[in-house]
Amino acid sequence: MASQVVPHEEVVTLKHHFANDEQQLDASTIGMWVFLVTEIMFFGGLFLAYFAYRQAYPAAFASASNKTNLWLGAANTTVLICSSLTMAMAVHSASLGKRTLLVLFLILTLILGGVFLGVKAYEYHDKWVHHEVPGAHFDCEGCDDAGHAPLFFSLYFGMTGLHATHMLVGFVILSIIIVQASRGKFTAKWYTPVEMFGLYWHFVDIVWIFLFPLLYLIDRSHTGLK
Amino acid sequence: MTMEPKSFQLFPESASNFAPTVDGLYTYMVVVSAFFSLLVAFLIIFFAIKYRARPGQGVPKPVDEHSIGGMILEIAWSVIPLGLSLVMFAWGASIMFSESRPPKDAINIYVTGKRWMWKIQHMEGAREINELHVPVGRNVRLTMTSEDVIHDFFVPAFRTKADVLPGRYTTEWFRPTQVGTYHIFCAEYCGTKHSGMIGWVHVLSAEDYDKWLAQGSGEGSMAEGGESLFNQLGCANCHVKGGHGRAPNLYGAFGTKVDLSDGTSVRFDESYTRESILYPQAKIVAGYDKIMPTFKGLISDEGMLKLIEYIKSLGDPNGVVPGRNLPSEPSDIQKTGPMAAPMSETKAPATVSKTSAATGKQQ
Amino acid sequence: MSDHNEQHHIVPIRVYIAVFLTLIAMTWVTAYVSTVDLGRLNIFVALSIAIFKASLVILFFMHVKYGTKLTKMIVLAGLYWLLLLLFIAMADLWTRGWMGVPGR
Amino acid sequence: MITAPAPVKETKNYLNAQTGLKSWLLTGDHKRIAVMYLIVVTAFFALGGVFASLIRLELATPAGDLMESNQYNKVFTMHGVLMVFFFLIPSIPATLGNFLIPLMIGAKDLAFPKINLLSWYIYMLGGVFTLYVLLTGGVDTGWTFYTPFSTSYSNGYVVAAGLGIFINGFSAILTGLNFIVTIHRMRAPGLTWFRLPLFVWAHYATSAIMILGTPVVAVTLFLLVLERGLHIGFFDPAYGGDPVLFQHLFWFYSHPAVYIMILPSMGVISEVISTFSSKKPFGYTFIAFSSVAIAVFGFLVWGHHLFVAGQSIYAGLVFSILSYVVAIPSAIKVFNWAATMYKGRVRLETPMLYALGFIGLFTVGGLTGIFLSSLGMDVHLTDTYFVVAHFHYVMVGGALLGYLAGLHFWWPKIFGRMYSQVWSKVSAALVFVGFNLTFFPQFLLGYMGMPRRYHVYPPEFQVFNVLSSAGASVLALGLILPAIYLTWSLKHGAIASANPWGATGLEWQTSSPPISENFEVTPVVTTEAYDYSTVPQEVVHVG
Ligand code: HEA
Ligand code: HEA
Ligand code: CUA
Ligand SMILES: [Cu+2]
């Protein structure tokens, strides 16, 4: 810890209540990670419900899961991983102070995220037309144990919906950051928002890394890679 | 026979086998608690007076915790309370275990909670609402479910209660020890008239109980009611005695272990029966096809209880019904019902299993 | 005061690329493996791959590998509590039938 | 301790540094945000208290003569929701914690002042939802929102109420996050972990619970809202959903939440007992670590609320034994507090009176908690007034008294004024007597079998109920008094010196009220905590 309060002229980004840059950056990093821990627990509730019902009604989960589109799911996972890479590259560029590259990678991230959401929207639409949304019109055609299938779809929409909401929030923040980056707000010395946003984006990616096998890949052995 | 409730008393009436032990544990806890509460109160009052500040007094010397054995104190006041309270744990746990295992010879009574009343069905056919007649000195087992929200069947004089859940069965048992009339309360909040969901347990002498049963409804026993439902709903079309090709034999099935098509097994109990009828495809008996239709929406919760009682009556699981094997150990078995599914590990297939029992069937 | 750059470990781009390729490969591996009937093992394989992938992201993309002890502890705490929630609650569900008395 | 009737010209401080409503609503100053919290939290407490009074009025007679069942159900639900989520959980952390943590660690502010302000607004937004529910007809689920009642049968505004608490949760999360980062990163030079005041330790543990638990209840209520609003079934037995799963999720948060309520109070008590005994807390490290232990083990026992709910008995077994384990750190604290007074210089000022009340009542409340964690005992006692009495002993006798102790202790620091010593002691006495009269009879009622959440009850329970209602009026009087004399003191109280109680701790080394930057120069800490030899003797008032 710093031993003294030293005014630091060149760095305008230092808030008044911090002693120095290091303390400020540390605070942001710790804060962000703590926030991500709350996010883990937030999704945790849904994961518990998922595991509980999956073990109770394996037949319903297997056949309902087979209603999802494996190809779209896998492709979307790939898209999201790509966006994670571009995000990592954006942070990398920021740390080297390469503004153009930073903006470029951020925009790429945005586009990839958009593709992901687009695909997701298509899938939702598909579920809607096939009456696979829980509610009065629900109908899990050809499902085993259709009586319990609504639980799967409730979880499907709950989990992917929450995930998509996180993406949407990310979109807004990312757009702001892109504007700021193109205006040259970030330097190799200070680009904390980019870095923090990166952590958030990767977290959202990780959630999907779990959602994909849990929702799309149950008991595919009977249907194959269809 | 009704005891006039006194307006000032510290214990509810003591009218079941559990009451004395629970009161004993309670007394132990009160004594331990009183001791510690008074000890703490005494210490702080005593110190507050003895060491009260006097004008002109300087800052007291910090106490050297080592010299007065700080560590020993800390250990003492952690370990002694822990020891005393582990007695509470063990005692309480043993009570809970005995409350959880209804004796084999218990009379079965079925309870259905519905906002805001208790519907009670006796095996012999008698039905009552918000009243429960039981004989003194006999073990009584309640199998309970709810038609809507969670309720809780609570008899303070028996010192026992259990939640009553929709879509599931829960169990409560007791042995009344004192003839009399006691409160039934609903102890889980269930909406507007939660506080009106009350009733009376009438503990009768053996003779009175028999008399009471004899004047019961003319409806016939629950099993009979279940049988007519069984025929009405067409269950008998597929499930025939001895079992043939299409559907498994239900005779002597209750209480056994059933092997399922996915390699796991479940115990044939109340919840499994219910699930088999409402969600037939949730668990498929090994060797059979998924042809049983769902009866969801066609059977009331009370009707379900009758069917269960009927299926139970179809054979004593302890009897010699070929092709059914009893579980060797309770923990060996899966359970059913909402939230009751096969455990994740694969169970070794039982040597004598239903699959082998089904060898007689033509494919 | 420390030099600023000391706080940011600059990860070489090839590390990012390698991680990225592994992630993509694992995605398709997990999709493929799900079509092979391993019985009850399927879910364990799927989850193991997911955990592996997530670890890569956390360690490299999120720089935890190069982060402070405190960051690592926070991450571990999050995971630990998640497991507490999942395992303790599931333990109830797993043991519900043991006594063979409904509701106990 | 009271400086001579002061020359009225006040010195510059955080209260008068800027003026105008805007300067408050847009402030980043943790001290001002704390005061803003204080105001709304008090308002919610008063509202919750009004509902409590209605409960006690209704229960004075066995019949349901004051209101209808539906109204009664809404009254106790609103009472529970307001008291738990809008009063007790934010009470100490958001007011005293917010004000004091930066001061105690010698920082200029919390790590994220804007987030701190945001958390206040989020809290207000949650409050608005809840008030909306209140005005449009209330909610009748009980504060526990059990399904399927809440999702399919309730005739109250479950969605709005659920959203209100959901939103409110984020305010607690942000507060906790801010505290954790601040305590890790903003300590003054020389202020090592083991020189931290115990209040800070307690808040560190509390924050950890807030961060790890609150998101779970948030998502649970979110699912509840979806199920109720959109009929997407997560817990619905009609699809095979499990109502007990809801209870697991709810209590995963709500049991640790009881430690969110009590730990900050315990932190206050450690400070108060030490100050008014002029002695370093006995077993400092034990008290500090016991807070952390409570936070960690507190997450392992939630199932003790589910003993009769249809949970497996084996799970119950584990939850039961762990409940005993988690009680031990509390025991450690109680005994160490008592030992702190040994050979001290004890002054029975108002904060100390409240603190001693806390120790006694919390002990009773905690010990009755261990009745409930015994399986066989809980079967009889759960959902009876015994439980009601238990949690009021810990929440009112414990947490609320701790809050009052803290408020009286730091009031001079926060507002720079002293309050009436006479009235405050009268109030402390009334609260203690009224409280016991209200809630002790409820233990007896509970063992007799009177279920909770009962609008009408059999006549044999009336005697104790009348006692309880009588006690509640004494208690109400005792609680309205501080509202009066504290408000009065803001204008007319004697000016307080920087350190009126002769306490240690950095917060007492700056002026009362502190300046906006907290300290003229960042303090450098060179001694252990609670070194009373450094406190100038003249200032110490002996009453
Ligand atoms: C501030 C809040 C608070 C606190 C601190 C506690 C503390 C404890 N609580 Fe309590 N509790 C509630 C608030 C709180 N509780 C609420 C709100 C409910 C009801 C919710 C609802 O249903 O609406 C509840 C309900 C509740 C139940 C469920 C009852 C039921 O519904 O059936 C149980 C069961 O185990 C329980 C146990 C405990 C235990 C073991 C502790 C322990 O932490 C207590 C530890 C303290 C001590 C033990 C005292 C000090 C020790 C000594 C002086 C030494 C001697 C000690 C021994 C001999 C062990 N509580
Ligand atoms: C922090 C928590 C807290 C607090 C402080 C209280 C305080 C009180 N509670 Fe409450 N209570 C709960 C939490 C709390 N309660 C919870 C969680 C439940 C369960 C709900 C459920 O079942 O869902 C409950 C339930 C509950 C019941 C059971 C209802 C039932 O089951 O049917 C009863 C019955 O007596 C009761 C009584 C009281 C009383 C008399 C007080 C008194 O201590 C209140 C005294 C306070 C006042 C009288 C207000 C004082 C006035 C002022 C300060 C105003 C002055 C200010 C200005 C004018 C600016 N409460
Ligand atoms: Cu039924 Cu309360
Ligand atoms: Cu608890």
Side-chain angles (χ1 to χ4, degrees):
Chain A
M1 202 185 307
S3 51
Q4 237 182 332
V5 188
V6 185
H8 200 306
E9 318 111 74
E10 23 162 285
V11 187
V12 275
T13 47
L14 184 63
K15 303 249 171 54
H16 81 281
H17 59 290
F18 287 111
N20 55 45
D21 287 349
E22 186 197 357
Q23 192 188 30
Q24 172 163 315
L25 177 66
D26 262 12
S28 305
T29 316
I30 300 171
M32 192 65 203
W33 274 107
V34 170
F35 173 74
L36 293 182
V37 167
T38 71
E39 289 275 25
I40 294 179
M41 298 310 287
F42 194 72
F43 278 95
L46 276 163
F47 278 100
L48 173 59
Y50 174 89
F51 285 117
Y53 293 138
R54 174 169 173 167
Q55 82 135 17
Y57 311 117
F61 267 58
S63 60
S65 162
N66 275 308
K67 295 257 169 187
T68 58
N69 189 321
L70 189 147
W71 286 107
L72 283 183
N76 235 1
T77 312
T78 313
V79 169
L80 210 54
I81 291 175
C82 292
S83 88
S84 248
L85 175 70
T86 54
M87 190 65 230
M89 292 305 299
V91 175
H92 186 79
S93 318
S95 69
L96 299 177
K98 297 183 178 159
R99 198 211 292 189
T100 340
L101 267 182
L102 167 63
V103 175
L104 180 80
F105 278 121
L106 287 177
I107 291 178
L108 270 178
T109 309
L110 190 78
I111 293 174
L112 288 166
V115 172
F116 178 89
L117 283 176
V119 173
K120 201 77 239 160
Y122 169 79
E123 290 185 84
Y124 275 14
H125 175 77
D126 206 49
K127 294 257 165 329
W128 177 257
V129 264
H130 287 98
H131 300 290
E132 284 160 10
V133 181
H137 302 287
F138 181 79
D139 177 20
C140 191
E141 216 184 291
C143 278
D144 275 355
D145 194 12
H148 291 135
L151 285 178
F152 174 85
F153 285 105
S154 292
L155 284 166
Y156 172 85
F157 283 106
M159 294 168 109
T160 57
L162 204 60
H163 179 260
T165 312
H166 276 80
M167 299 272 301
L168 284 174
V169 172
F171 250 59
V172 176
I173 302 174
L174 184 52
S175 309
I176 298 173
I177 290 183
I178 290 177
V179 173
Q180 290 177 337
S182 60
R183 292 204 183 129
K185 187 166 177 188
F186 308 118
T187 61
K189 264 195 168 348
W190 185 79
Y191 56 95
T192 311
V194 182
E195 205 180 352
M196 297 305 125
F197 179 77
L199 292 179
Y200 175 83
W201 195 257
H202 295 309
F203 170 79
V204 175
D205 185 25
I206 290 175
V207 172
W208 186 261
I209 286 179
F210 284 95
L211 291 187
F212 172 58
L214 291 182
L215 296 173
Y216 289 76
L217 301 182
I218 310 177
D219 200 26
R220 283 278 173 182
S221 49
H222 307 306
T223 47
L225 270 174
K226 79 156 190 243
Chain B
M1 64 178 182
T2 310
M3 285 190 218
E4 201 41 53
K6 285 166 278 162
S7 62
F8 186 89
Q9 57 192 72
L10 296 178
F11 286 82
E13 295 110 317
S14 166
S16 84
N17 56 324
F18 299 127
T21 27
V22 173
D23 287 354
L25 174 58
Y26 180 65
T27 311
Y28 170 72
M29 291 180 162
V30 169
V31 170
V32 172
S33 301
F35 171 76
F36 280 106
S37 308
L38 294 177
L39 176 72
V40 170
F42 168 77
L43 284 179
I44 58 180
I45 293 172
F46 177 73
F47 289 161
I49 296 170
K50 174 117 199 268
Y51 302 113
R52 70 187 176 281
R54 295 179 184 78
Q57 178 190 10
V59 173
K61 268 214 300 309
V63 171
D64 179 4
E65 288 176 20
H66 283 293
S67 71
I68 64 164
M71 195 63 183
I72 293 173
L73 275 174
E74 302 286 351
I75 291 174
W77 61 48
S78 311
V79 170
I80 295 174
L82 185 65
L84 288 170
S85 55
L86 286 182
V87 175
M88 302 177 188
F89 161 73
W91 194 339
S94 82
I95 294 178
M96 179 72 156
F97 268 87
S98 61
E99 284 175 342
S100 299
R101 289 204 185 100
K104 288 263 180 308
D105 64 357
I107 312 174
N108 256 314
I109 297 178
Y110 292 88
V111 176
T112 311
K114 179 185 183 214
R115 303 202 304 162
W116 293 275
M117 57 165 119
W118 295 107
K119 299 193 280 189
I120 288 155
Q121 296 165 275
H122 295 256
M123 283 201 298
E124 295 79 3
R127 292 152 62 87
E128 36 187 347
I129 286 184
N130 293 345
E131 314 261 343
L132 169 61
H133 288 81
V134 289
V136 73
R138 295 273 306 275
N139 297 322
V140 177
R141 169 192 180 144
L142 307 179
T143 300
M144 311 187 291
T145 188
S146 160
E147 287 183 19
D148 37 45
V149 303
I150 307 176
H151 304 277
D152 186 295
F153 195 89
F154 176 31
V155 183
F158 294 170
R159 309 287 189 278
T160 186
K161 65 160 80 71
D163 276 10
V164 176
L165 293 114
R168 264 183 76 178
Y169 297 100
T170 54
T171 314
E172 185 173 335
W173 83 273
F174 44 80
R175 183 171 63 252
T177 51
Q178 190 103 56
V179 171
T181 301
Y182 311 101
H183 280 295
I184 301 170
F185 292 127
C186 173
E188 182 61 62
Y189 175 66
C190 53
T192 313
K193 293 227 182 59
H194 164 58
S195 64
M197 194 164 162
I198 56 178
W200 298 97
V201 190
H202 304 276
V203 178
L204 308 178
S205 65
E207 310 88 76
D208 285 345
Y209 180 69
D210 289 339
K211 255 185 253 157
W212 180 83
L213 268 187
Q215 55 163 26
S217 74
E219 281 181 35
S221 74
M222 280 184 78
E224 283 160 25
E227 179 167 21
S228 62
L229 265 178
F230 197 78
N231 293 322
Q232 248 171 349
L233 291 165
C235 319
N237 297 344
C238 301
H239 294 282
V240 298
K241 188 164 184 173
H244 69 70
R246 273 207 303 167
N249 178 16
L250 297 179
Y251 284 77
F254 200 88
T256 57
K257 177 174 152 184
V258 180
D259 292 326
L260 301 177
S261 60
D262 64 354
T264 57
S265 56
V266 309
R267 172 192 285 273
F268 199 136
D269 63 0
E270 287 87 347
S271 300
Y272 172 68
T273 313
R274 183 193 155 95
E275 192 182 87
S276 295
I277 298 170
L278 299 183
Y279 305 98
Q281 298 183 2
K283 298 195 174 59
I284 301 296
V285 183
Y288 290 90
D289 292 331
K290 304 172 194 165
I291 52 166
M292 175 163 163
T294 170
F295 290 84
K296 205 176 163 186
L298 300 176
I299 305 176
S300 71
D301 281 288
E302 283 163 288
M304 182 66 74
L305 290 174
K306 288 185 184 164
L307 277 175
I308 291 175
E309 186 54 36
Y310 171 64
I311 293 175
K312 267 190 184 174
S313 74
L314 285 180
D316 174 4
N318 301 312
V320 274
V321 179
R324 293 283 179 180
N325 60 307
L326 272 178
S328 44
E329 249 175 54
S331 59
D332 202 25
I333 304 257
Q334 313 299 322
K335 69 290 170 173
T336 329
M339 308 322 307
M343 275 177 271
S344 41
E345 334 92 66
T346 317
K347 289 275 179 284
T351 35
V352 197
S353 72
K354 248 188 84 182
T355 333
S356 52
T359 38
K361 86 188 168 81
Q362 304 84 34
Q363 203 72 44
Chain C
M1 213 169 302
S2 59
D3 186 306
H4 192 86
N5 272 339
E6 268 176 26
Q7 300 166 49
H8 291 290
H9 186 95
I10 309 246
V11 184
I13 293 184
R14 64 190 147 71
V15 174
Y16 285 137
I17 303 288
V19 168
F20 169 74
L21 292 177
T22 319
L23 289 173
I24 299 282
M26 290 320 265
T27 300
W28 291 93
V29 167
T30 189
Y32 171 74
V33 170
S34 72
T35 66
V36 181
D37 191 355
L38 301 175
R40 304 197 153 253
L41 281 183
N42 271 105
I43 178 159
F44 291 108
V45 174
L47 279 180
S48 309
I49 295 181
I51 290 170
F52 174 65
K53 285 164 73 183
S55 314
L56 286 183
V57 176
I58 292 176
L59 288 177
F60 297 100
F61 283 180
M62 296 170 95
H63 296 183
V64 167
K65 184 166 190 288
Y66 318 103
T68 59
K69 256 213 194 89
L70 181 60
T71 316
K72 287 175 188 154
M73 266 181 47
I74 295 174
V75 177
L76 285 179
L79 296 177
Y80 174 71
W81 255 270
L82 177 68
L83 291 180
L84 274 189
L85 169 65
L86 297 180
F87 272 99
I88 299 183
M90 291 305 285
D92 166 28
L93 304 180
W94 287 328
T95 54
R96 268 192 208 168
W98 279 13
M99 183 157 273
V101 179
R104 302 289 175 166
Chain D
M1 73 172 177
I2 304 167
T3 57
V8 179
K9 189 78 218 104
E10 288 183 40
T11 47
K12 191 164 86 56
N13 61 47
Y14 79 99
L15 289 168
N16 61 19
Q18 282 173 301
T19 48
L21 192 60
K22 227 176 105 184
S23 75
W24 283 85
L25 293 179
L26 297 180
T27 185
D29 186 341
H30 65 104
K31 300 183 286 307
R32 286 187 157 212
I33 298 172
V35 172
M36 282 154 64
Y37 261 120
L38 179 64
I39 295 167
V40 280
V41 160
T42 308
F44 276 115
F45 173 64
L47 204 56
V50 170
F51 284 113
S53 314
L54 287 174
I55 297 178
R56 281 321 323 165
L57 266 179
E58 169 64 75
L59 294 182
T61 61
D65 29 27
L66 181 66
M67 41 190 147
E68 295 180 343
S69 292
N70 267 327
Q71 286 170 320
Y72 180 79
N73 295 343
K74 288 174 179 168
V75 164
F76 74 69
T77 303
M78 292 313 295
H79 168 65
V81 167
L82 290 173
M83 285 299 199
V84 169
F85 294 108
F86 290 92
F87 168 62
L88 202 50
I89 286 178
S91 63
I92 297 185
T95 59
L96 298 176
N98 220 337
F99 194 97
L100 292 166
I101 285 176
L103 284 164
M104 285 181 165
I105 66 175
K108 290 195 186 118
D109 206 322
L110 289 176
F112 308 113
K114 281 192 191 134
I115 289 182
N116 197 15
L117 183 64
L118 178 67
S119 84
W120 185 79
Y121 279 101
I122 294 177
Y123 173 82
M124 294 303 279
L125 185 65
V128 167
F129 268 85
T130 309
L131 289 179
Y132 164 82
V133 171
L134 207 110
L135 294 175
T136 51
V139 58
D140 65 343
T141 56
W143 81 282
T144 46
F145 289 92
Y146 276 12
T147 58
F149 178 75
S150 57
T151 48
S152 311
Y153 295 88
S154 156
N155 30 35
Y157 290 80
V158 179
V159 171
L163 283 177
I165 298 170
F166 173 79
I167 295 171
N168 180 49
F170 288 95
S171 132
I173 290 177
L174 293 181
T175 304
L177 188 154
N178 227 334
F179 285 176
I180 289 210
V181 176
T182 306
I183 296 169
H184 266 289
R185 234 45 211 102
M186 312 280 287
R187 281 171 284 130
L191 191 52
T192 57
W193 282 90
F194 290 100
R195 287 177 176 178
L196 285 175
L198 290 166
F199 183 85
V200 177
W201 274 98
H203 274 76
Y204 186 78
T206 308
S207 307
I209 305 177
M210 285 174 160
I211 277 163
L212 294 160
T214 319
V216 177
V217 81
V219 78
T220 310
L221 289 172
F222 181 68
L223 297 183
L224 182 85
V225 166
L226 285 184
E227 180 158 344
R228 168 112 182 158
L230 304 177
H231 309 289
I232 299 186
F234 292 100
F235 307 108
D236 191 347
Y239 304 126
D242 183 12
V244 181
L245 183 68
F246 173 86
Q247 298 174 22
H248 273 296
L249 286 166
F250 182 84
W251 290 111
F252 177 84
Y253 162 77
S254 292
H255 178 79
V258 309
Y259 299 121
I260 297 183
M261 308 179 209
I262 202 71
L263 278 170
S265 266
M266 292 171 153
V268 169
I269 302 306
S270 300
E271 300 297 320
V272 170
I273 299 280
S274 164
T275 300
F276 293 98
S277 308
S278 302
K279 265 191 58 215
K280 177 172 178 161
F282 192 88
Y284 169 94
T285 26
F286 286 91
I287 300 186
F289 277 128
S290 64
S291 291
V292 179
I294 287 176
V296 172
F297 290 115
F299 274 95
L300 303 175
V301 304
W302 77 79
H304 66 207
H305 296 266
L306 277 64
F307 287 157
V308 302
Q311 167 184 259
S312 125
I313 173 170
Y314 302 97
L317 212 58
V318 174
F319 285 126
S320 171
I321 195 164
L322 289 173
S323 298
Y324 287 101
V325 174
V326 78
I328 296 309
S330 298
I332 292 180
K333 282 187 198 273
V334 169
F335 291 120
N336 277 305
W337 288 326
T340 303
M341 293 168 70
Y342 173 72
K343 288 198 173 165
R345 184 181 48 169
V346 180
R347 289 163 291 147
L348 295 178
E349 304 285 359
T350 310
M352 185 65 165
L353 289 182
Y354 276 114
L356 295 182
F358 172 102
I359 298 182
L361 300 181
F362 171 74
T363 301
V364 175
L367 284 164
T368 51
I370 66 171
F371 280 54
L372 296 169
S373 36
S374 167
L375 288 155
M377 202 66 242
D378 187 63
V379 170
H380 178 58
L381 291 177
T382 184
D383 274 314
T384 68
Y385 263 82
F386 193 95
V387 177
V388 175
H390 155 64
F391 67 72
H392 283 91
Y393 262 82
V394 273
M395 295 206 295
V396 181
L400 177 65
L401 254 57
Y403 176 56
L404 288 172
L407 206 57
H408 284 86
F409 185 49
W410 282 291
W411 188 265
K413 179 56 62 186
I414 300 176
F415 294 109
R417 299 279 181 162
M418 300 303 298
Y419 45 83
S420 158
Q421 294 305 297
V422 178
W423 282 112
S424 57
K425 286 181 183 168
V426 171
S427 147
L430 282 178
V431 168
F432 187 80
V433 173
F435 173 82
N436 281 299
L437 193 53
T438 311
F439 293 108
F440 197 79
Q442 297 187 357
F443 284 124
L444 307 173
L445 272 177
Y447 199 76
M448 292 273 293
M450 176 165 167
R452 62 190 283 206
R453 297 172 170 174
Y454 260 34
H455 172 224
V456 292
Y457 55 86
E460 67 258 35
F461 296 138
Q462 188 175 7
V463 175
F464 290 132
N465 268 296
V466 169
L467 283 180
S468 180
S469 294
S473 28
V474 180
L475 176 58
L477 191 65
L479 288 170
I480 289 172
L481 274 183
I484 298 171
Y485 65 74
L486 287 178
T487 316
W488 189 85
S489 79
L490 288 179
K491 264 230 141 40
H492 308 284
I495 304 283
S497 68
N499 187 1
W501 312 118
T504 61
L506 293 178
E507 81 270 28
W508 301 106
Q509 293 180 17
T510 182
S511 54
S512 299
I515 55 172
S516 294
E517 299 76 26
N518 290 351
F519 299 96
E520 304 280 358
V521 277
T522 300
V524 176
V525 179
T526 51
T527 57
E528 297 302 307
Y530 305 103
D531 184 353
Y532 286 91
S533 62
T534 60
V535 180
Q537 285 313 293
E538 316 80 76
V539 298
V540 179
H541 168 80
V542 174

